[in-house]
Amino acid sequence: QVQLVESGGGLVQAGGSLRLSCVSSGSIFVINAMGWYRQAPGKQRELVAGISRGGRTNYDDSVKGRFTISRDNAKNTVYLQMNSLSPEDTAVYYCNAKIQRFSGAAENDYWGQGTQVTVSS
């Protein structure tokens, strides 16, 4: 079994900051790409930021310059530092990891349970 557990969400005023964390645990051989997605009410889930195992990052245009994704491979953890938050960032944020459970196994997608981020104006 593999579990992804997120933490760090909450309520913050516009202009504030939050840091999300996501720890992967269980039967894991290697974690390849990791990412953060978000889903606002009535909208589709969208990619916010992604990071390869080697540290290459990509961001949605709406968060460039404000959000930073990072990871600690030794801890199987990915982070999302969110600065200059605006009400438009309000959503449930989900962690995603592409994991091989065994050597030679296929890579599968795993998701966290989601953490609510609410930004008040």
Side-chain angles (χ1 to χ4, degrees):
Q1 297 289 349
V2 173
Q3 282 190 318
L4 275 61
V5 178
E6 299 129 338
S7 61
L11 174 63
V12 64
Q13 288 189 331
S17 298
L18 284 173
R19 189 191 194 210
L20 306 183
S21 300
C22 173
V23 181
S24 303
S25 63
S27 178
I28 296 171
F29 174 68
V30 67
I31 302 176
N32 295 315
M34 303 184 81
W36 288 95
Y37 290 71
R38 67 186 179 188
Q39 187 167 19
K43 295 188 177 181
Q44 290 189 330
R45 190 175 297 189
E46 62 179 5
L47 175 65
V48 175
I51 185 167
S52 70
R53 180 167 179 80
R56 182 171 296 182
T57 60
N58 61 283
Y59 297 92
D60 183 81
D61 286 345
S62 66
V63 306
K64 282 180 180 177
R66 300 188 298 123
F67 291 9
T68 302
I69 189 170
S70 61
R71 64 188 288 172
D72 184 333
N73 291 333
K75 296 181 178 179
N76 287 345
T77 301
V78 63
Y79 307 96
L80 185 68
Q81 177 66 43
M82 305 185 294
N83 299 328
S84 301
L85 285 161
S86 72
E88 289 70 33
D89 296 314
T90 295
V92 178
Y93 284 70
Y94 296 91
C95 170
N96 171 265
K98 300 185 185 302
I99 296 173
Q100 288 178 256
R101 294 188 62 194
F102 309 101
S103 176
E107 178 184 275
N108 288 307
D109 271 324
Y110 293 88
W111 294 89
Q113 79 286 356
T115 185
Q116 177 69 48
V117 171
T118 303
V119 185
S120 63
S121 57

